[in-house]
Amino acid sequence: MDMRPDSRSLPDLSVRELRTLLDRREIGAVELARAYLDRIGEVDGRVRAYLTVTAELALEQAEEADRRLASGEAGALEGIPMALKDLISTRGIETTCGSRILRGYVPPYDATAYARLREAGAVLLGKLNMDEFAMGSSTENSAFAATANPWDLSTVPGGSSGGSAAAVAAGEAAFTLGSDTGGSVRQPAALCGVVGLKPTYGRVSRYGLIAFASSLDQIGPLTRTVEDCALVMNAISGLDPHDSTSSPVEVPDLTTALRDDLQGVRVGVPEEYFGEGLEPGVERAVREAIERLRALGAELVEVSLPSTKYALATYYIIAPAEASSNLARYDGVRYGYRSPDGEDLVENYLATREQGFGPEVKRRIMLGTYALSAGYYEAYYVKAQKVRTIVKSEFDRAFERCDLIATPTSPTVAFELGSRLDDPLAMYLSDTYTIPASMAGIPAISVPCGFSDGLPVGLQLIGRAFDEATILGAAHAYERSTDWARRRPELVSAG
Ligand code: GLN
């Protein structure tokens, strides 16, 4: 029987399915890259996920992939078209971080995560839109464009990796990489109905990831299925001599952790994650998903994480403090944009930063500089670090009684474009449920768990440090018991 799908529907298949077709030589890598480029041409005018499309490079890389597939030397992701958030450095390809200040910046080296994807054979389609310096929850803080949610083009895709999530949802890449500092992989994954994993801090090298808050930043995959997430993690994880915070803890083959039931798994449910601000439609879908986990064999246990309510405030001290230091390097001399204005060097620095940074980045630099200044350092920064330790120890205690923790990913579904732009606090609240795991440095995945008012809802599963296997295994069992992973937004005209 000929299983070969027509080329217009190729972009809707999973990485695993595409690999099978490539291995059997039922499709070629060049043909596949062209199918994705066609899809981008067809829908990206409406979705605006891409800042740069590297069509020529993609076809070259795909030709190489075809040669390796033919000679039987194929890597695990050979020929799979993917794209990267525009803060992951790519040699010779503009990398803007969504900021005017880095417009025209072309990195002289590759991020380790990208280099590892290339070693595994993946093909680069381009660079994806994001909130400027990864600060935001809607991708509207991009200096270049607002990305739309493929499920409803009048709503946001979430952020800051909104381009990465929207591209996967719209079939504009087989998978993408984003980055997550306080929720920026998981929250857009939830809002766009795709799978998104924030790995344990240190699991994936940050070398070549443009820094926002270095003690929190992690690169993570956005995929259509949990199995695809495991495949991408296998390729990008592990120790890197270029990043001293990358971990030597051994990386297991995560595809072997995927399971079909949850016998013997204890799932913690923290009531602190089901309070004020949670939309009823989201709560309903998440509670049903947790019941499904029970039906699959899991034992549900109540756990308590009482400091959850302090996590957001603490994050908005620590992350801006680190950002104010990391962003000091953008002076117009070494990278990207340089203002033509200013009588002397200092005036030129000031003009460059005034013109180069957008309002949210300036707000964070001011918040962070204030929190670190003499006289306020003890009251804000040191106190925030103490709360961070408490948040982490509460997770440690909870994990004595359970193997993973289930919560909503985002308190709401996708909101209207523009609706939170004048209210930074409302925007910050998008990350209420994702920030605690970031502060604790532990892994967490968002997996689609239904719809509310026609928009996707995400279930978050949080695990112990370096135990991506358990949350991927449980997410897989859940995914297999539903058909959410097969739903696609209606963007492409039938034909
Ligand atoms: N939305 C959060 C913020 O604006 C988290 C961003 C992120 O994870 N990069 O800081």
Side-chain angles (χ1 to χ4, degrees):
M1 188 175 66
D2 184 13
M3 295 292 291
R4 195 180 185 296
D6 88 272
S7 71
R8 277 172 53 85
S9 62
L10 282 178
D12 292 315
L13 300 180
S14 70
V15 172
R16 168 63 80 202
E17 290 164 331
L18 292 172
R19 280 295 291 132
T20 305
L21 291 170
L22 286 163
D23 272 338
R24 294 197 199 133
R25 308 303 288 148
E26 285 173 34
I27 59 169
V30 169
E31 175 192 4
L32 184 58
R34 281 194 207 284
Y36 274 98
L37 292 167
D38 287 348
R39 174 66 68 87
I40 293 168
E42 184 172 2
V43 306
D44 207 52
R46 285 171 285 157
V47 178
R48 298 178 299 274
Y50 279 84
L51 291 176
T52 306
V53 177
T54 52
E56 216 173 292
L57 178 70
L59 294 172
E60 273 170 36
Q61 293 181 347
E63 273 175 34
E64 281 170 39
D66 273 331
R67 281 196 292 276
R68 276 193 298 269
L69 284 157
S71 66
E73 294 159 19
L77 297 171
E78 199 71 56
I80 302 297
M82 56 84 189
L84 304 171
K85 187 177 183 179
D86 208 20
L87 47 34
I88 296 174
S89 300
T90 43
R91 183 157 47 93
I93 301 163
E94 185 179 8
T95 300
T96 65
C97 215
S99 181
R100 203 172 300 127
I101 213 159
L102 281 174
R103 176 182 266 169
Y105 168 63
V106 177
Y109 68 103
D110 286 332
T112 298
Y114 173 51
R116 289 187 176 170
L117 289 179
R118 287 292 301 133
E119 277 163 36
V123 166
L124 182 68
L125 293 168
K127 306 296 292 287
L128 298 160
N129 199 20
M130 56 179 287
D131 285 300
E132 184 176 9
F133 281 96
M135 298 172 187
S137 304
S138 69
T139 311
E140 293 165 295
N141 293 337
S142 165
F144 306 114
T147 300
N149 189 315
W151 292 92
D152 175 348
L153 297 171
S154 71
T155 66
V156 303
S160 62
S161 313
S164 304
V168 173
E172 296 183 77
F175 72 89
T176 61
L177 295 185
S179 69
D180 190 312
T181 302
S184 280
V185 165
R186 292 162 283 161
Q187 183 259 12
L191 270 46
C192 289
V194 301
V195 175
L197 174 75
K198 182 201 85 76
T200 308
Y201 184 80
R203 181 94 285 190
V204 177
S205 169
R206 291 183 297 112
Y207 181 69
L209 170 69
I210 296 177
F212 162 13
S214 306
S215 77
L216 296 156
D217 298 342
Q218 267 294 288
I219 290 174
L222 293 107
T223 58
R224 268 183 225 118
T225 68
V226 175
E227 182 180 28
D228 287 359
C229 181
L231 285 167
V232 177
M233 280 300 291
N234 280 352
I236 65 174
S237 301
L239 184 65
D240 175 14
H242 292 304
D243 174 6
S244 63
T245 62
S246 73
S247 167
V249 173
E250 201 183 322
V251 185
D253 174 359
L254 289 168
T255 60
T256 64
L258 305 177
R259 45 189 293 174
D260 294 328
D261 70 68
L262 293 174
Q263 294 302 331
V265 177
R266 296 166 305 166
V267 174
V269 183
E271 275 312 310
E272 291 88 348
Y273 282 68
F274 292 86
E276 203 193 326
L278 180 59
E279 277 179 2
V282 173
E283 170 157 12
R284 206 173 313 121
V286 171
R287 292 219 189 258
E288 275 171 25
I290 292 173
E291 272 313 307
R292 178 66 63 95
L293 300 178
R294 189 212 297 271
L296 287 163
E299 179 197 341
L300 303 186
V301 294
E302 255 181 58
V303 295
S304 180
L305 298 164
S307 298
T308 301
K309 57 179 176 291
Y310 304 120
L312 189 77
T314 309
Y315 170 87
Y316 277 99
I317 300 291
I318 293 173
E322 294 185 22
S324 69
S325 166
N326 274 325
L327 270 55
R329 74 191 69 171
Y330 302 103
D331 54 14
V333 176
R334 288 163 295 180
Y335 311 97
Y337 175 76
R338 178 187 301 174
S339 169
D341 304 328
E343 294 292 302
D344 57 27
L345 184 65
V346 172
E347 275 187 22
N348 183 251
Y349 286 164
L350 294 174
T352 294
R353 289 169 68 85
E354 165 59 28
Q355 295 159 15
F357 289 136
E360 183 60 30
V361 173
K362 287 176 186 161
R363 182 167 21 246
R364 303 283 177 110
I365 292 173
M366 285 190 281
L367 280 171
T369 309
Y370 182 81
L372 289 175
S373 58
Y376 297 102
Y377 178 82
E378 294 284 335
Y380 291 107
Y381 186 74
V382 172
K383 195 168 184 181
Q385 293 292 8
K386 288 180 180 161
V387 177
R388 184 174 185 176
T389 304
I390 293 169
V391 168
K392 183 175 180 307
S393 60
E394 286 179 0
F395 273 115
D396 289 343
R397 215 166 315 130
F399 282 122
E400 288 167 11
R401 304 185 47 231
C402 63
D403 305 302
L404 60 90
I405 292 172
T407 80
T409 304
S410 159
T412 71
V413 292
F415 41 94
E416 290 291 313
L417 280 156
S419 64
R420 293 192 188 173
L421 271 182
D422 297 328
D423 188 349
L425 186 60
M427 195 70 93
Y428 295 174
L429 287 168
S430 311
D431 299 297
T432 306
Y433 301 141
T434 48
I435 277 175
S438 298
M439 302 259 287
I442 55 182
I445 195 168
S446 182
V447 61
C449 74
F451 291 82
S452 170
D453 296 330
L455 290 166
V457 177
L459 169 72
Q460 179 175 234
L461 302 177
I462 306 172
R464 298 188 181 98
F466 298 105
D467 190 11
E468 279 80 7
T470 296
I471 54 176
L472 283 163
H476 180 76
Y478 173 74
E479 179 188 79
R480 300 261 297 205
S481 76
T482 73
D483 79 340
W484 309 130
R486 279 184 287 281
R487 307 272 185 107
R488 300 281 180 266
E490 283 168 31
L491 270 178
V492 184
S493 51

